[in-house]
Amino acid sequence: IDGTVVMTADLLEDLNSVFDGRVPKRWTHDASGAEISWLLPSIGGWFTGLLDRYAQLNTWLENGRKDMKSYCITFFTNAQGFLTGIRQEVTRQHKKDQWALDDVATHTEVLTVDPERVREMPDEGQNIHGLHIEGARWNRTEGKLDESEAKKLSQPMPVIYITAMTGKALRDSGVSYGQSDRYNA
């Protein structure tokens, strides 16, 4: 090992990407060309995202869920798997009530706070953040969608509480989603 590396075409392409401030394709795609990472136009933004994802996952790994008051949903490669896991966990917590996974639906509540202001973890379900809404904005005081502000295409959503409820519990609580009730979004 004398410190020399043979410069291959692949290594040269990666080096040129870094020099130009772009994310090398081998960092975002596997050998078959399938996307395995998030895509951003600059290497600075991509690397910042990598550090943020590492911090969230490492905190979760080292400290468990007790320190995770809210999860940035966009940091997950498989966000749908995380949401399904929430439903499974809530269903298990209600085992004595004989809840079945097939009978529960995901229930969401948009909170009024930003991730930094979440004080404690919920007893069941999870808080998520990191979502943005385009072409509208969330009115925190009235708890509804409003027209977007001029020249602001994208607005961050506040923290969203996600849990699971049975269809009967949703009907009993008076929650109605109109004709889209079965999607419960």
Side-chain angles (χ1 to χ4, degrees):
I1 300 177
D2 59 7
T4 60
V5 175
V6 176
M7 184 64 71
T8 65
D10 291 343
L11 189 56
L12 183 60
E13 184 181 333
D14 290 348
L15 187 61
N16 285 335
S17 292
V18 171
F19 181 77
D20 293 339
R22 295 179 287 117
V23 182
K25 187 170 181 177
R26 278 164 207 70
W27 294 8
T28 59
H29 295 78
D30 66 10
S32 71
E35 183 182 318
I36 57 170
S37 174
W38 60 100
L39 301 176
L40 286 175
S42 73
I43 196 169
W46 186 90
F47 194 72
T48 299
L50 177 68
L51 294 177
D52 291 343
R53 284 168 168 78
Y54 169 78
Q56 175 173 294
L57 293 173
N58 192 56
T59 300
W60 191 6
L61 176 68
E62 296 292 327
N63 304 323
R65 290 187 30 209
K66 66 181 183 296
D67 288 348
M68 300 300 295
K69 295 180 174 98
S70 179
Y71 293 86
C72 186
I73 193 79
T74 58
F75 288 178
F76 292 111
T77 304
N78 181 7
Q80 186 63 42
F82 181 73
L83 298 175
T84 301
I86 292 172
R87 283 181 52 215
Q88 290 172 340
E89 184 178 80
V90 172
T91 301
R92 286 187 194 115
Q93 288 175 330
H94 288 272
K95 185 177 181 179
K96 66 181 183 322
D97 300 326
Q98 297 181 343
W99 281 20
L101 188 58
D102 293 338
D103 297 335
V104 298
T106 302
H107 175 69
T108 59
E109 294 176 28
V110 180
L111 306 180
T112 59
V113 295
D114 290 322
E116 304 81 35
R117 297 194 181 265
V118 175
R119 297 188 196 278
E120 57 190 41
M121 193 180 101
D123 292 331
E124 66 178 38
Q126 295 295 330
N127 294 320
I128 64 162
H129 66 278
L131 297 177
H132 286 73
I133 188 165
E134 291 185 7
R137 68 181 175 92
W138 186 258
N139 184 327
R140 292 175 190 231
T141 55
E142 296 181 28
K144 66 175 190 164
L145 286 176
D146 273 346
E147 292 290 327
S148 63
E149 296 173 3
K151 299 183 181 180
K152 289 190 178 179
L153 179 64
S154 175
Q155 293 286 316
M157 287 290 291
V159 172
I160 300 172
Y161 170 64
I162 299 182
T163 189
M165 296 177 81
T166 62
K168 182 181 181 327
L170 282 172
R171 286 188 298 278
D172 291 347
S173 69
V175 175
S176 174
Y177 295 95
Q179 295 175 347
S180 302
D181 190 52
R182 68 178 275 118
Y183 298 102
N184 193 5

